[in-house]
Amino acid sequence: MDNYNRLVEVLSTNEVESINKQWSTAPPLRIATVCSGTDAPILALEQLLSVLNKDKVEKIQMKHIFSCENSKFKRDFIEQTTNPRLIFNDVVELESGKGRCHDGNIRKVPDDFNVLIAGTECVDFSSLSTSPKTLKGGGRSDITFWATHKLAKKYQPSIVVLENVAKCPMNEMAKAFEDIGYIATFRKVCTSEYMLPQSRSRIYFVFVHKDSAQYKEDCNKDAWVSKMEALGPNRKTNEKISWTDILSDGELSSKKSKKKGGRGKSLSESLSSKWLAEIVAIEKKEGITPYDEDGGRPYSEATRNIEVLAHLPDRAKMRLDVQFKRAVKAGVDPLKIPLIWNPAQQLRFTDSGVDSNGKPKTSIAPCVTPGHEWIVSSLKRPLSGEEALALQGITVSKKALKQFECRQLRDLAGNAMSTTVVAAVFLSIFTTVELIDNGKKRSVSGDSSTEQQSSKKRKAN
């Protein structure tokens, strides 16, 4: 809650009063989320509105109309946490007006949502992709973006918020929404600028529908960008954030992975592989002890009997050895000082955890990525799923966490939106945008008692 208080404190008293006056009397925010990973936007908005509504008679209202995720365990997570009335399986189906839900039934897509939040797939646009594709390249990033675009075109929500990686074709994506009646703006942001200790660069788009929303009289789309800057990099604060603050020495609260033993080819079968050639080249170039000499496998020796690292393949263990040797060469002992390494990535993409001055990076962690086991050097174990979620500002009940394996929680964190960034996006919207009363009353579908039950379940968790 402290981070959300800090965001609101950046605003003037008049701005906060104006937000409450305008948005508490406006129609409730009826939100649909698609491809958002963990429904982090809902978790963020609940916290933000709790701050804005504190001690207010008239409160800003929000209802979560539906969510959509194509992965079952992610839908399970959403059901355990935000628990919307409907959880659809595939955004591609929704343009038809119907879709299969998490419970197996086919249901109608509600037509009364006025806010759409989407974190469409980014793998084809990522700088780490080995086969990048364009916005019309036929990959999952292409498919989920256009499915979201068709959903917006069909139902015309007043506000659409879209998130993707920094390398996405942002101008083309903005133009696509302008072509269906939206005013488009976007900004590149880094999670570390919004009080979370992670270097995660993303593009956030805001699309305002010309017929049902508008920028305030003294604002335009540039005002939204300026407000984002005021809430982020230009925020006046003396706060110090560190990724090591999220580390826990206790047992993991989630289910343990069932993976045991080794995997991948043995070293003798991999001697001609590209990854080994990369390691040999880096050791030679950087003047560090070769892997096949005494002292060339320092981290592997130090973690030989560590069960949670035993399943790593040789390429991962040898990359950790290189990172260890790099740190020691810079004067840092990684067995005493926590550094964070990703052995799944090629070494040319991997942060060693030591800066150019030979100081350990214990403040800002690299970007958490889905499906990867980030290793905390001094703890001799992977970053837990709960810790990875914390880097995104996501905290959920122990009861919910216990339903999932660590690798699933890490994957959820890697695909999630950063909560404080989403909060800043909406706080900037609240200060610059207003809904238009055009006399059209949209139908209100759904059972309010069901929505109340969902809210009670979240509180119970």
Side-chain angles (χ1 to χ4, degrees), residues 313-363:
D314 276 318
R315 64 179 179 275
K317 293 176 181 177
M318 292 177 71
R319 284 168 179 160
L320 292 174
D321 286 322
V322 171
Q323 296 292 55
F324 185 100
K325 289 181 285 190
R326 283 173 165 174
V328 170
K329 185 178 180 181
V332 175
D333 184 352
L335 296 178
K336 294 181 179 179
I337 297 174
L339 304 179
I340 188 166
W341 299 325
N342 183 358
Q345 291 179 342
Q346 296 178 39
L347 287 167
R348 62 192 178 97
F349 291 127
T350 305
D351 194 316
S352 66
V354 180
D355 65 23
S356 58
N357 296 317
K359 301 294 183 181
K361 296 180 181 179
T362 56
S363 55

Side-chain angles (χ1 to χ4, degrees), residues 228-280:
M228 283 294 292
E229 292 173 349
L231 294 171
N234 295 333
R235 187 179 69 256
K236 294 181 179 180
T237 177
N238 294 319
E239 68 194 16
K240 294 181 179 180
I241 55 177
S242 172
W243 70 267
T244 57
D245 292 339
I246 59 97
L247 296 176
S248 171
D249 291 327
E251 292 185 6
L252 304 184
S253 58
S254 58
K255 294 193 297 184
K256 293 183 179 180
S257 173
K258 296 179 181 179
K259 290 189 297 184
K260 291 183 179 179
R263 59 185 173 88
K265 293 182 178 180
S266 64
L267 183 59
S268 61
E269 297 174 358
S270 305
L271 291 176
S272 61
S273 66
K274 291 182 179 179
W275 65 259
L276 186 57
E278 178 203 28
I279 287 171
V280 171

Side-chain angles (χ1 to χ4, degrees), residues 383-451:
L383 197 71
S384 75
E386 185 175 354
E387 291 164 344
L389 287 171
L391 285 176
Q392 293 285 50
I394 298 171
T395 55
V396 294
S397 70
K398 297 292 184 182
K399 178 182 176 182
L401 289 172
K402 287 179 180 179
Q403 308 302 312
F404 304 92
E405 296 180 0
C406 273
R407 63 178 180 81
Q408 292 176 321
L409 294 175
R410 284 192 291 261
D411 190 79
L412 283 161
N415 283 298
M417 297 185 193
S418 305
T419 54
T420 52
V421 179
V422 177
V425 167
F426 273 92
L427 199 53
S428 299
I429 289 172
F430 292 155
T431 58
T432 59
V433 176
E434 59 189 1
L435 301 181
I436 298 173
D437 183 4
N438 55 17
K440 296 180 180 179
K441 293 185 177 180
R442 308 187 71 169
S443 63
V444 178
S445 61
D447 182 354
S448 60
S449 65
T450 302
E451 291 169 347

Side-chain angles (χ1 to χ4, degrees), residues 46 78 87 119 121-122 248 254 309 360 365 413 440 445 450:
E46 287 179 338
I78 289 170
I87 307 177
E121 292 197 35
C122 60
S248 171
S254 58
L309 299 181
K440 296 180 180 179
S445 61
T450 302

Side-chain angles (χ1 to χ4, degrees), residues 275-293:
W275 65 259
L276 186 57
E278 178 203 28
I279 287 171
V280 171
I282 284 178
E283 289 172 340
K284 183 177 181 180
K285 179 180 179 181
E286 298 183 11
I288 54 181
T289 307
Y291 78 91
D292 54 355
E293 292 185 9

Side-chain angles (χ1 to χ4, degrees), residues 18-196:
S18 177
I19 288 172
N20 283 102
K21 181 178 180 180
Q22 175 193 331
W23 290 91
S24 64
T25 56
L29 299 172
R30 301 184 63 84
I31 300 175
T33 53
V34 300
C35 308
S36 69
T38 60
D39 263 350
I42 300 299
L43 298 173
L45 275 168
E46 287 179 338
Q47 295 292 312
L48 178 62
L49 294 188
S50 179
V51 174
L52 290 173
N53 287 334
K54 186 178 181 180
D55 300 327
K56 300 294 189 299
V57 176
E58 298 291 334
K59 301 182 186 296
I60 304 170
Q61 301 295 321
M62 178 189 80
K63 293 185 178 181
H64 192 189
I65 304 304
F66 70 83
S67 185
C68 183
E69 274 296 333
N70 68 353
S71 173
K72 181 184 181 302
F73 83 85
K74 292 178 184 178
R75 295 195 299 272
D76 289 338
F77 183 86
I78 289 170
E79 187 176 46
Q80 288 288 323
T81 52
T82 62
N83 193 30
R85 178 157 47 89
L86 295 172
I87 307 177
F88 291 100
N89 293 6
D90 193 345
V91 66
V92 176
E93 298 178 347
L94 302 189
E95 185 201 5
S96 69
K98 295 181 180 180
R100 188 171 298 278
C101 290
H102 188 44
D103 61 8
N105 294 315
I106 295 176
R107 290 188 170 87
K108 180 181 178 182
V109 177
D111 64 355
D112 60 337
F113 60 95
N114 56 12
V115 177
L116 175 62
I117 308 175
T120 56
E121 292 197 35
C122 60
V123 62
D124 299 315
F125 304 146
S126 172
S127 59
L128 298 179
S129 175
T130 56
S131 55
K133 296 180 176 64
T134 65
L135 194 57
K136 295 184 179 181
R140 284 296 299 174
S141 299
D142 164 10
I143 292 169
T144 55
F145 171 80
W146 288 111
T148 302
H149 181 270
K150 290 174 181 176
L151 187 65
K153 183 178 181 180
K154 181 180 180 69
Y155 294 101
Q156 299 187 345
S158 301
I159 297 169
V160 179
V161 173
L162 182 66
E163 178 252 22
N164 213 289
V165 291
K167 292 292 185 179
C168 70
M170 59 196 81
N171 291 314
E172 294 176 58
M173 294 164 79
K175 178 64 165 56
F177 273 84
E178 289 173 343
D179 290 344
I180 59 172
Y182 285 89
I183 300 170
T185 189
F186 55 85
R187 184 180 187 275
K188 180 181 177 181
V189 302
C190 185
T191 296
S192 63
E193 297 172 343
Y194 295 86
M195 299 171 291
L196 291 178

